[in-house]
Amino acid sequence: MDGSAAAAPSEERRLEGLLVLQDGDFEWDEGYQGFILSGFFYGYAVGQLPGGLLAERLGGKLVFGVGTLGTALLTIASPFLARAGGGWFFAVRLLEGLFEGVTFPAIQYMISKWAPPAERSRFATVYTGGYLGTVICMPVSGLLCDMDFLSGWPMAFYVFGALGVLWYIPWHLCVFDTPAQHPRIDPREREYIENALGKVPAKKKLAIPWGKLLRTPGLWACASMHLGIGWAFFTLLTCLPTYMSEILHFDIKSNSALSAIPYVAGGTASVVFGLLLDLVITREYVSKLTAYKIFNGITALGPALTLILVTVVGCDTVSILVLLAFNGLFLGAQYTGNSINLLLLAPNFSGTMLGISNTFANGAGILAPYAVGILTNNNQTITAWNIVFYISAGIGVVTYIVYLVLCQGEVQPWNDPEQSDTKSTTEMVPASDKLEISRIGIENPAYQA
């Protein structure tokens, strides 16, 4: 989670970039906050591609589980290291990002093994857990920070870190990488999933066709979308509480609750968008690619428009909150549009593909807090924040245009490359034989769109 400590103004001294206060623990100026916040995203960006590669070789369950557990343990350690110095706190956030960076590619790969093509957009709503976590964390963190027990703010780290550790137990016991590995799945459900997914490669892992993969325009189309989405999303995630406090003048409790509004809207909309996209595709109202273009347009242009309107309404607090809610609502289309378009291109390499593409989103997570810090450092004015919003809107529009130029809507031929003799050749099996073959240990990664 993202936490920061606050203290009232008092006598102060600078030490290693940290502002130490008599009647509070510590406080960072806007530029240093941007530096601290970016630490997580350095690690998160680096963890993306390894997360995809590891998931395709070790299984999504292990990679996602260890990544989340490691993040939880580091969250618990964060207050101790924050008190040791800003450099230590930056380091632990870097490691948190590295552990958490593997999670989305791991989940993407698991979706490719569990989701029938006609239900992929609905499956992608599992990503809305991030919205739900944000909705819960923001107001609860505000309450915990306001406590006197253990100085208040460390409780936000201890509570959510402990919950992450406890979460790992049911994950380890109840989750399985494929339908074939699940001991309690209804045989009819397993047969339905495996038949829907199509061809069954042999158990040995497929060699990644790096050259063809990296020359695929659709990959870079989705990476462009991820860059624009990431800039919009992480600008709000890391900087909205500051905007609420410094410009709209909400106290910490109100700030925490109101900052969660875009994520309530986004999480709810994500579920609706998932159902809607599956409906549009299965009933063939438009082609798959056209559907992805529409939903990615909602994700990119909707937030851009709302941010521009925020600059127009001035200090009208109610209008700003409504616009930010719509901003989150439009961003809720990101998983059903961009992530599923990416999954369609190469289901067998869905973890690697998302790892590459999502690195661009998290590169934005590094740059956006820096940009906001530079623009607003000792300059907490409406004009400065309007520039922040103009930049975010412009990036969203430009990256969507790039997507429209490069996007693709078909499974790529290299999704099923020939395996080398040192591994094993790919054996394509009729759907009618799948259940029998799975009994002798052959897996069923997703193959068809």
Side-chain angles (χ1 to χ4, degrees):
M1 61 164 289
D2 291 312
S4 61
S10 65
E11 293 182 9
E12 53 193 49
R13 62 186 177 87
R14 290 194 174 272
L15 177 63
E16 298 177 347
L18 197 63
L19 205 59
V20 182
L21 307 166
Q22 276 191 338
D23 58 353
D25 289 350
F26 40 77
E27 179 181 303
W28 294 284
D29 63 25
E30 290 84 354
Y32 199 68
Q33 286 180 45
F35 167 72
I36 291 292
L37 289 170
S38 69
F40 176 88
F41 299 106
Y42 281 115
Y44 198 72
V46 170
Q48 295 294 312
L49 181 55
L53 294 171
L54 289 171
E56 291 168 7
R57 281 152 181 76
L58 304 178
K61 172 186 175 179
L62 176 65
V63 175
F64 186 89
V66 171
T68 305
L69 177 63
T71 303
L73 294 171
L74 289 167
T75 297
I76 295 172
S78 293
F80 302 101
L81 293 169
R83 288 190 172 110
W88 286 104
F89 191 43
F90 177 87
V92 74
R93 290 190 58 75
L94 186 74
L95 289 174
E96 283 184 58
L98 185 61
F99 272 91
E100 196 163 326
V102 305
T103 57
F104 268 40
I107 284 294
Q108 182 86 339
Y109 187 60
M110 293 185 75
I111 291 174
S112 77
K113 291 202 163 191
W114 278 92
E119 301 176 21
R120 280 177 180 164
S121 299
R122 277 169 280 179
F123 264 74
T125 58
V126 299
Y127 289 120
T128 61
Y131 280 109
L132 179 62
T134 303
V135 168
I136 295 173
C137 269
M138 281 190 166
V140 173
S141 294
L143 294 173
L144 293 172
C145 290
D146 205 40
M147 294 172 59
D148 293 328
F149 184 65
L150 294 179
S151 299
W153 67 266
M155 287 296 296
F157 291 89
Y158 300 149
V159 169
F160 290 113
L163 288 174
V165 173
L166 292 174
W167 163 90
Y168 181 75
I169 297 172
W171 173 266
H172 179 72
L173 296 176
C174 301
V175 174
F176 299 88
D177 282 311
T178 65
Q181 294 176 1
H182 200 303
R184 296 179 296 277
I185 191 172
D186 187 306
R188 292 171 298 178
E189 180 183 8
R190 174 179 162 185
E191 182 177 11
Y192 165 72
I193 294 172
E194 293 183 339
N195 285 341
L197 292 177
K199 299 177 182 179
V200 183
K203 189 172 182 179
K204 291 290 185 179
K205 303 304 178 183
L206 296 170
I208 298 175
W210 284 108
K212 295 178 180 178
L213 185 151
L214 294 175
R215 291 193 299 270
T216 300
L219 168 63
W220 304 112
C222 293
S224 178
M225 276 299 301
H226 264 125
L227 175 61
I229 292 168
W231 194 284
F233 183 82
F234 290 122
T235 295
L236 289 184
L237 181 66
T238 60
C239 303
L240 185 57
T242 302
Y243 177 75
M244 291 280 193
S245 173
E246 299 294 334
I247 302 302
L248 303 184
H249 304 296
F250 290 112
D251 60 41
I252 188 169
K253 289 183 180 178
S254 300
N255 188 341
S256 298
L258 293 172
S259 294
I261 288 176
Y263 306 102
V264 175
T268 303
S270 181
V271 176
V272 176
F273 284 138
L275 295 170
L276 185 59
L277 180 56
D278 278 340
L279 179 66
V280 168
I281 290 175
T282 55
R283 295 194 178 182
E284 300 182 343
Y285 292 134
V286 296
S287 69
K288 288 182 181 179
L289 184 57
T290 299
Y292 297 143
K293 289 177 180 179
I294 292 171
F295 279 78
N296 278 337
I298 293 171
T299 306
L301 304 182
L305 177 61
T306 59
L307 290 179
I308 291 172
L309 291 176
V310 166
T311 69
V312 174
V313 299
C315 297
D316 186 341
T317 302
V318 174
S319 296
I320 291 173
L321 292 176
V322 170
L323 287 168
L324 291 175
F326 274 100
N327 184 286
L329 184 149
F330 293 132
L331 278 171
Q334 62 178 294
Y335 301 125
T336 53
N338 201 48
S339 295
I340 300 305
N341 187 179
L342 193 63
L343 176 58
L344 169 66
L345 298 176
N348 284 333
F349 304 102
S350 53
T352 298
M353 294 277 281
L354 185 71
I356 294 171
S357 183
N358 207 32
T359 298
F360 286 77
N362 297 289
I366 296 169
L367 297 175
Y370 267 132
V372 175
I374 291 171
L375 290 168
T376 63
N377 188 25
N378 297 319
N379 185 31
Q380 291 292 342
T381 63
I382 293 177
T383 300
W385 279 97
N386 284 350
I387 295 173
V388 170
F389 296 146
Y390 287 137
I391 291 173
S392 183
I395 290 174
V397 172
V398 170
T399 53
Y400 178 59
I401 292 172
V402 173
Y403 168 82
L404 291 177
V405 172
L406 299 177
C407 62
Q408 296 173 287
E410 300 295 336
V411 177
Q412 300 301 295
W414 50 263
N415 180 58
D416 181 34
E418 293 183 358
Q419 294 174 288
S420 65
D421 293 336
T422 58
K423 293 185 177 180
S424 70
T425 59
T426 301
E427 178 184 6
M428 292 306 176
V429 184
S432 60
D433 295 336
K434 288 176 187 171
L435 290 179
E436 180 61 31
I437 290 175
S438 65
R439 294 189 187 103
I440 61 173
I442 295 180
E443 296 181 340
N444 180 37
Y447 182 83
Q448 294 180 333

